[in-house]
Amino acid sequence: MGKKDFILLNPQLEKTFTEICNRIRCLQSGGTIDSLQRIGANTTGQIGASYVSLKTLASEYLPDEKLATLLWKQQKREEQIVACFLFPPGINREKITQFAETCSSYEIAGYLGSIFLCRHGELAEIVSDWSRSEMPFLQVAALSGAARHLLVSKDKSQISEERFKQLVNRSYSDKYVELVAQRYRFNI
């Protein structure tokens, strides 16, 4: 999604987008921001809404690619988390790869994997491509998506436990990706 990509807004889409953004602002938590700052987390562009509050908010809306795209392009933590819930499952690999490349943080990459990617019909292929990509956000999303998928789809998993072990036991050049892989190694 380059800078020239745009979305035609119809009145209903614009109304829903504005409503969600306003509702996200109502979830602001100074206490959450303060605690994140105390541990040294970057809180720029965040309002401190909890994951649970954002999940509850998103559950009140149907998946909608245009709406999710508008939220994603805000490049803000809370909007991108809600977008993860609102991406329809049929988004093609190229589009979801473009979204993953523009995550606002490693945290969002993890949410994209564990909320959206874990349900995607082409999960196995995407995980294989992204984990080899050398792009940290793609790698985090791939690891998180594969882990979540294995957890919820035990009997009909697209990824075997053996394949998952290979993913988490390989060496990643990015320090944070390596930490994510280590976390999953200890949970196998």
Side-chain angles (χ1 to χ4, degrees):
M1 290 182 310
K3 292 186 187 273
K4 62 185 174 200
D5 292 344
F6 61 93
I7 299 168
L8 293 176
L9 293 181
N10 64 47
Q12 183 58 44
L13 177 61
E14 184 174 12
K15 178 180 179 242
T16 304
F17 170 72
T18 301
E19 176 182 297
I20 290 173
C21 290
N22 289 337
R23 291 183 67 192
I24 287 172
R25 297 298 160 266
C26 291
L27 298 173
Q28 186 166 9
S29 170
T32 301
I33 292 293
D34 291 344
S35 66
L36 288 170
Q37 288 173 337
R38 275 194 297 277
I39 62 168
N42 180 1
T43 58
T44 305
Q46 295 186 28
I47 62 163
S50 73
Y51 168 82
V52 173
S53 298
L54 296 168
K55 179 180 179 181
T56 302
L57 171 67
S59 71
E60 297 177 28
Y61 299 90
L62 294 173
D64 181 311
E65 185 175 340
K66 287 183 178 181
L67 179 59
T69 300
L70 281 172
L71 291 165
W72 191 267
K73 287 186 171 197
Q74 300 307 300
Q75 285 295 296
K76 295 180 181 173
R77 174 189 178 268
E78 289 79 6
E79 282 81 351
Q80 285 192 336
I81 292 172
V82 173
C84 290
F85 287 105
L86 297 181
F87 285 129
I91 292 179
N92 68 45
R93 286 171 62 175
E94 292 76 21
K95 278 188 183 179
I96 202 60
T97 299
Q98 290 173 346
F99 287 118
E101 290 171 346
T102 61
C103 290
S104 60
S105 67
Y106 287 105
E107 175 193 22
I108 297 302
Y111 285 137
L112 181 65
S114 64
I115 296 169
F116 173 76
L117 185 61
C118 68
R119 302 179 281 122
H120 199 279
E122 297 179 67
L123 172 73
E125 296 85 4
I126 293 171
V127 165
S128 183
D129 291 346
W130 290 8
S131 64
R132 291 190 313 254
S133 74
E134 296 303 321
M135 295 183 73
F137 288 161
L138 295 182
Q139 292 172 328
V140 168
L143 291 169
S144 300
R148 178 75 178 159
H149 179 75
L150 276 172
L151 187 65
V152 297
S153 303
K154 293 186 187 301
D155 296 336
K156 50 189 182 291
S157 179
Q158 294 183 42
I159 299 173
S160 68
E161 281 191 42
E162 186 58 38
R163 177 66 181 127
F164 184 68
K165 286 178 184 177
Q166 291 171 352
L167 289 170
V168 299
N169 285 315
R170 72 175 269 225
S171 180
Y172 293 94
S173 58
D174 183 89
K175 178 174 62 173
Y176 187 81
V177 178
E178 185 59 34
L179 288 172
V180 170
Q182 285 177 10
R183 183 180 72 210
Y184 290 132
R185 278 182 217 140
F186 291 119
N187 292 319
I188 294 178

